[in-house]
Amino acid sequence: MPQSPVLSSAVALSVLAAAALPSGARAQAPANKLDPLLRPLLDPAAVARIEATPRGAALGAALRRPLAGVVMLRREPGRAETFVDVFVSLSDRSPAVIEALGGRVTVHAGALFGARVPLSALRALLADARVRYVQAARRARLSNDLAMQDIRASLVRTASGGTFTGATGSGVIVGIFDTGIDWSHADFKHADGSTRILYLWDLTTIGTPPGNVGGQNFSDGNECSAALINAGGCSERDIAAHGSHVAGIAAGNGSAGSANQYAGVAPNADIIAVKGGDVSFSLLDVVTGVEYIFKRADLLGRPAVVNLSLGTLFGPHDGTEAAEQAIDSLSGAGHLVVIAAGNDGSNPTATTGNPPIPPGNTPIFLVHAARTLAAGDTAQLAVTVPGYAPAAGNVNDFMLFTLWYDARDSLTVTVRRPDGTTVSRRRGDAPADTETVQGHVFLDNASNGPAAQNGDGQSEIEMYDADPTHAPAAGTWVITIRVDHLGGSGRFDLWEYATSSTLGDTQISGGGDNAYLVSSPGNAARAITVAAYVNRVNWVAQGGTFQFTVREQVGDLATFSSPGPTRSVRDSLPSRQKPELSAPGKGVFSVYSSASNPAAPAALIATDGRHVLFSGTSMATPMVTGSVALLLERRPDLTPEQVRTILTSTARSDGFTGRSYATGFPGGSPNPSWGYGKLDVQAALAQAPPALTAAAGVNSPSSRVRIGANAALQFVVTASTAEGDRLDTVTVAGASNHTLADFVTALDLYRDSAGTGVIPNGAPLVSLPTPFAGGSTARFVDLGANVAPGGQVTYLLAVRLNDHLRQGDTLGLRVAAVFGTGTPSTRRAVAYIPVPVTSRLGRAELLQGGQIFLISENPVRSGRVIFSYDSTPRSMALYNFAGLRVRDFSALPANRFEWDVRGESPGLPNGMYILVVKTGAELLRQRLMILSPAR
């Protein structure tokens, strides 16, 4: 994945894809409630240009500022006016003020409302006293075979015949907001071919939107239900292939590969996916997608964890961005969000590669700088622009910087072009907008007072080609920060958060550092944020054997992984540890979308043709997402804080994790590069013991099944020592060599108090007639069995079979899931099944003791007769009483043969016959009377 903060024309690809602020954080009331990035939209001339632009794709260019990759403008279907994606903070919790102005609310998170607002309504919105601030919804960019072993996920589950048991994520919803998902891929299907995707919401098209879900109206896009997906009628396609890859890591079952080689972390979890775009996303859509997934999960009574392998470098990196605050508000018990740290790091971990590694492993691409200055001090930051070929037209060669500082200080910001011309602004000055042959400079240094979101100073610096002949000059640009008055900490942080593709090689060449680079919304206080380390450097693909050009040691931090921590907000919001932990993210195989366009190179496609190798913190993040699903499988009510404690306290340390590559930060644990160490799924699950455990009983029957009632499977359910449970549901799956519904007439569940494995006298607890009529899973519900803390209950499953059972038929039963309710916690409990709980029944036996051959009816009245046997006869023939052979039966199948008497040509007359059967050394003669009805 690319490391440089490059935005191509109107988009930035970043699939990398706070709790409420203390009151002191907003001690200085902002003079203006509008995000500086939205202020150009108050200019009537700019709005007129935008509204006169016929093509939606060109709306950003009409701004005449390089903000198309940051601010999301869009046209609503059927409406000519232009809307902007925003977050609005209100003093009350009603969206009325937004809706009255023609805005449409898409998400509600506490006091924050995500909305699409007409440009014409912005001034009126700001004038309303209930509005605290309005912030642009930023655009975000896109930021397992060996991997499963590395994080020890393979140690907590077993796979047999494509069926997973153990810690698998059963009963949990994994939510994916990304570029979509290949719903046709086998890794997202059950063994019977039905989809594991409950819902797929595509925001990039129009169709049938979700509508009201849990009280929130989701009125955009097109939603595909599982039924529509199973019918092949879903129009969504993942052409970017990123979302499918991410989903496969978190929850794929590896069905498309050999021996489930590329199965994800939670292969039995269900999936809800939201497609937000092909190359970039509005953070308004991202937060709306998170709320939608949680609402759907709530209606199903299920816990959910949402994966966000995406982010943007814009913002103060302190958790106060509106999207981060909204994610914090939506998170809670059974509602978790896992986010990529980002791919903007410059970690000196490469041991070989191109460009050559500098002496001392010095970082080579820096996009952040920070200083703490005394009164009168200055800091000079050099920005190197290599020679390049400017793009045709204007506002498409640019580099964008954002500066944040303690608003109690007064700073002067100066930009010097390579030719020595300068632009300077003191805090509170009107913005500068200056043009020379070496490029246009826009400089706004807190012109409207402290930022509304955190009360800090915010400066925006933009160098670009307002005139198509005045592209930013190659050479060294210098940004100077001087402290005119020290009233606070003297600290400032500056980020180069975006460049055009033409200026993608620009960096802070003097005074930069490798710290404070976790992307937004990854700084959210309640989110789990993930760094990436190296999973492999060599691999075999369809095109041959390959290796990375830039190679680290396997197990070391990826060069691109973004370090933390978060930036502090004056004295009121301290810096926090980010990322929390790391997971494999470089060299990860996962699902390859069949709709990928363009196709991936053969050097990256696995030999099975169904999986592909990608790299990035985008790939590390779903490792943790899947792991959270395993924790929620055991404890559906876990909070973000509890999950963070479990994951960080069990993170694995080794010879790499103690080293910090973040500038100015010592090693040890935690540190801003690795967090608390490497993900260890096995150790994490040990900290969340299951409320229930199901295991096979010692006296499970092993006899061969017969027509009638058969004791089939003994199993034991045990409650944890922490609390008791009330069992309510047991689901049973079945398998056979022919259709189960044809011969299984009932399943009976008994309490096996004696533990003998023998069907007890009396009626069963529950009897299910025709249990497999609608599919392959049967459900015993409303059991109402109370299990004391540390106690257990033993059950016996019996199966009743009709006379359609055939000699040698196979029948297997498996306890697929056990559910209960904790007492006294009332939390939902899903039993942990460490190894498959399956029957040990032998093949069907219709022959009685000593029998070697059986005729289903004699006389034959139905016109159909079945011959059953264990050993296939060498020959079988039918003779009349005159001794004439009237029928030869050849090429006999194993175990049984079915003869349709009425199908004989010429027909056999009714009467007595002799059947002669040769089986091995024996010769069997038996009378057979045919009284078949007329044909």
Side-chain angles (χ1 to χ4, degrees):
M1 302 293 285
Q3 303 168 50
S4 56
V6 176
L7 286 143
S8 63
S9 61
V11 297
L13 274 181
S14 173
V15 179
L16 305 173
L21 284 175
S23 58
R26 295 195 178 94
Q28 293 179 275
N32 194 301
K33 299 185 285 189
L34 188 64
D35 185 336
L37 297 183
L38 293 174
R39 287 176 196 153
L41 300 178
L42 295 181
D43 179 1
V47 173
R49 288 195 303 271
I50 292 169
E51 299 292 14
T53 301
R55 293 188 307 110
L59 294 177
L63 271 173
R64 296 184 182 173
R65 291 261 303 278
L67 300 178
V70 185
V71 176
M72 187 72 180
L73 300 176
R74 63 173 93 214
R75 293 261 167 82
E76 296 277 86
R79 301 179 70 171
E81 61 187 328
T82 304
F83 288 70
V84 60
D85 285 7
V86 297
F87 289 100
V88 183
S89 178
L90 297 173
S91 58
D92 61 25
R93 300 203 171 192
S94 168
V97 60
I98 300 171
E99 294 169 343
L101 294 171
R104 186 160 56 80
V105 172
T106 66
V107 65
H108 178 197
L112 277 171
F113 291 83
R116 291 175 185 151
V117 175
L119 299 186
S120 58
L122 274 179
R123 283 191 182 276
L125 187 63
L126 294 170
D128 195 291
R130 292 168 289 184
V131 175
R132 292 179 177 141
Y133 65 85
V134 180
Q135 185 181 105
R138 325 300 187 195
R139 276 189 187 263
R141 55 192 172 99
L142 298 171
S143 40
N144 271 297
D145 49 349
L146 297 176
M148 294 305 110
Q149 298 172 32
D150 195 275
I151 65 175
R152 304 189 182 186
S154 58
L155 300 179
V156 299
R157 70 186 187 208
T158 60
S160 176
T163 298
F164 288 90
T165 53
T168 65
S170 177
V172 179
I173 289 171
V174 168
I176 304 291
F177 183 100
D178 214 286
T179 63
I181 188 170
D182 182 0
W183 50 265
S184 68
H185 201 281
D187 285 15
F188 304 129
K189 293 182 179 181
H190 296 290
D192 63 2
S194 62
T195 187
R196 297 171 52 220
I197 303 170
L198 303 179
Y199 295 96
L200 200 176
W201 185 24
D202 185 354
L203 288 169
T204 67
T205 188
I206 57 175
T208 304
N212 189 298
V213 180
Q216 178 66 38
N217 186 35
F218 299 99
S219 57
D220 292 317
N222 182 60
E223 182 186 55
C224 299
S225 65
L228 187 62
I229 293 172
N230 284 330
C234 186
S235 63
E236 181 273 344
R237 299 292 183 271
D238 181 15
I239 64 173
H242 187 278
S244 299
H245 196 271
V246 165
I249 296 170
N253 62 21
S255 294
S258 59
N260 305 103
Q261 181 179 6
Y262 301 120
V265 185
N268 284 353
D270 289 319
I271 300 167
I272 296 179
V274 180
K275 178 183 174 76
D278 293 321
V279 287
S280 70
F281 318 111
S282 164
L283 282 181
L284 173 59
D285 286 343
V286 172
V287 176
T288 301
V290 172
E291 184 178 35
Y292 163 81
I293 291 167
F294 287 156
K295 292 285 190 184
R296 279 285 182 211
D298 287 346
L299 290 179
L300 295 168
R302 310 265 288 278
V305 53
V306 179
N307 187 92
L308 299 179
S309 288
L310 51 86
T312 172
L313 266 182
F314 185 84
H317 296 257
D318 56 14
T320 66
E321 282 283 271
E324 293 168 337
Q325 293 281 294
I327 286 172
D328 285 340
S329 179
L330 293 172
S331 299
H335 288 178
L336 285 97
V337 182
V338 183
I339 307 178
N343 296 342
D344 296 294
S346 291
N347 305 306
T349 53
T351 58
T352 184
N354 183 27
I357 306 303
N361 282 347
T362 304
I364 57 174
F365 197 93
L366 303 175
V367 292
H368 172 261
R371 295 285 191 285
T372 299
L373 303 176
D377 283 355
T378 61
Q380 289 192 327
L381 308 175
V383 178
T384 299
V385 178
Y388 70 101
N394 66 337
V395 197
N396 49 24
D397 301 301
F398 56 84
M399 41 189 174
L400 309 180
F401 298 81
T402 184
L403 171 75
W404 292 81
Y405 59 91
D406 190 331
R408 296 171 298 186
D409 302 327
S410 291
L411 272 62
T412 295
V413 180
T414 303
V415 178
R416 188 179 74 204
R417 300 180 179 90
D419 65 2
T421 58
T422 62
V423 180
S424 184
R425 283 297 181 269
R426 295 171 299 177
R427 174 188 162 188
D429 285 350
D433 220 349
T434 67
E435 179 77 24
T436 75
V437 294
Q438 291 213 319
H440 192 96
V441 174
F442 175 84
L443 173 58
D444 183 342
N445 184 12
S447 62
N448 284 280
Q453 66 197 77
N454 59 10
D456 269 353
Q458 176 184 0
S459 179
E460 296 302 315
I461 306 166
E462 303 167 7
M463 300 86 134
Y464 61 100
D465 56 341
D467 184 317
T469 64
H470 296 165
T476 300
W477 295 62
V478 178
I479 299 173
T480 302
I481 294 97
R482 184 181 73 242
V483 176
D484 301 319
H485 170 74
L486 185 68
S489 65
R491 163 86 183 205
F492 74 83
D493 288 83
L494 177 138
W495 289 269
E496 181 184 29
Y497 69 89
T499 68
S500 61
S501 58
T502 54
L503 289 168
D505 291 332
T506 64
Q507 64 162 311
I508 302 172
S509 55
D513 61 50
N514 184 45
Y516 299 94
L517 290 169
V518 168
S519 298
S520 177
N523 297 291
R526 304 194 80 186
I528 307 296
T529 307
V530 187
Y533 62 88
V534 180
N535 184 50
R536 58 161 59 83
V537 294
N538 306 288
W539 65 94
V540 177
Q542 283 187 342
T545 301
F546 298 90
Q547 62 181 4
F548 289 113
T549 303
V550 175
R551 295 188 296 280
E552 309 89 335
Q553 294 185 69
V554 172
D556 205 353
L557 196 70
T559 56
F560 53 74
S561 185
S562 291
T566 67
R567 171 183 168 272
S568 62
V569 179
R570 301 186 306 282
D571 304 323
S572 54
L573 189 63
S575 175
R576 291 175 286 109
Q577 173 64 46
K578 288 285 181 180
E580 273 79 10
L581 77 168
S582 62
K586 184 170 181 178
V588 180
F589 277 106
S590 183
V591 168
Y592 179 39
S593 172
S594 60
S596 180
N597 187 14
L604 299 180
I605 300 175
T607 54
D608 64 13
R610 305 299 304 279
H611 298 87
V612 67
L613 182 142
F614 287 164
S615 297
T617 53
S618 283
M619 283 63 250
T621 304
M623 300 276 183
V624 176
T625 299
S627 302
V628 173
L630 303 187
L631 291 170
L632 291 174
E633 179 182 22
R634 295 190 171 188
R635 292 285 303 275
D637 60 344
L638 285 172
T639 66
E641 291 72 27
Q642 290 170 324
V643 170
R644 175 183 289 107
T645 298
I646 290 171
L647 293 177
T648 57
S649 65
T650 59
R652 180 164 51 92
S653 297
D654 60 19
F656 296 112
T657 59
R659 183 175 180 184
S660 171
Y661 303 110
T663 307
F665 289 89
S669 180
N671 64 64
S673 298
W674 293 92
Y676 285 81
K678 296 179 176 180
L679 172 66
D680 189 330
V681 177
Q682 185 182 38
L685 289 176
Q687 297 301 308
L692 293 170
T693 302
V698 296
N699 289 318
S700 275
S702 58
S703 58
R704 298 177 69 171
V705 295
R706 296 177 178 273
I707 296 170
N710 297 260
L713 174 60
Q714 184 191 64
F715 62 98
V716 181
V717 181
T718 305
S720 73
T721 57
E723 71 167 348
D725 278 276
R726 182 178 177 84
L727 303 185
D728 53 50
T729 305
V730 173
T731 65
V732 177
S736 177
N737 59 323
H738 77 277
T739 306
L740 285 166
D742 185 43
F743 66 99
V744 178
T745 61
L747 285 179
D748 299 325
L749 187 66
Y750 294 88
R751 280 286 294 269
D752 192 3
S753 302
T756 61
V758 176
I759 297 176
N761 295 324
L765 292 173
V766 183
S767 183
L768 294 180
T770 60
F772 300 116
S776 60
T777 302
R779 292 171 60 87
F780 294 95
V781 298
D782 301 324
L783 298 180
N786 291 308
V787 188
Q792 63 183 34
V793 58
T794 301
Y795 288 105
L796 180 67
L797 186 65
V799 59
R800 282 186 272 162
L801 309 175
N802 63 21
D803 60 4
H804 291 183
L805 183 70
R806 305 171 303 192
Q807 179 72 11
D809 274 349
T810 58
L811 171 63
L813 298 174
R814 175 174 59 88
V815 175
V818 179
F819 301 95
T821 303
T823 56
S825 71
T826 71
R827 67 168 179 258
R828 187 70 167 153
V830 181
Y832 174 55
I833 305 177
V835 296
V837 179
T838 58
S839 61
R840 298 183 286 123
L841 297 170
R843 295 184 307 157
E845 174 65 272
L846 303 184
L847 306 176
Q848 302 300 315
Q851 281 186 308
I852 60 173
F853 192 86
L854 180 66
I855 301 173
S856 61
E857 62 178 37
N858 192 4
V860 179
R861 300 180 185 275
S862 66
R864 167 180 166 270
V865 61
I866 300 171
F867 305 111
S868 299
Y869 38 80
D870 259 343
S871 298
T872 304
R874 293 165 54 194
S875 66
M876 189 166 71
L878 190 69
Y879 295 82
N880 64 19
F881 263 70
L884 296 176
R885 185 162 52 191
V886 296
R887 180 70 160 87
D888 264 324
F889 302 98
S890 58
L892 295 171
N895 299 122
R896 58 171 269 156
F897 169 63
E898 185 173 324
W899 178 34
D900 184 359
V901 178
R902 292 168 298 180
E904 291 295 317
S905 179
L908 287 178
N910 289 340
M912 185 70 72
Y913 294 85
I914 302 295
L915 185 68
V916 179
V917 182
K918 289 183 180 180
T919 59
E922 297 189 50
L923 183 65
L924 174 69
R925 294 182 179 89
Q926 184 167 343
R927 292 182 180 186
L928 180 66
M929 179 168 284
I930 297 177
L931 298 175
S932 180
R935 296 176 179 82

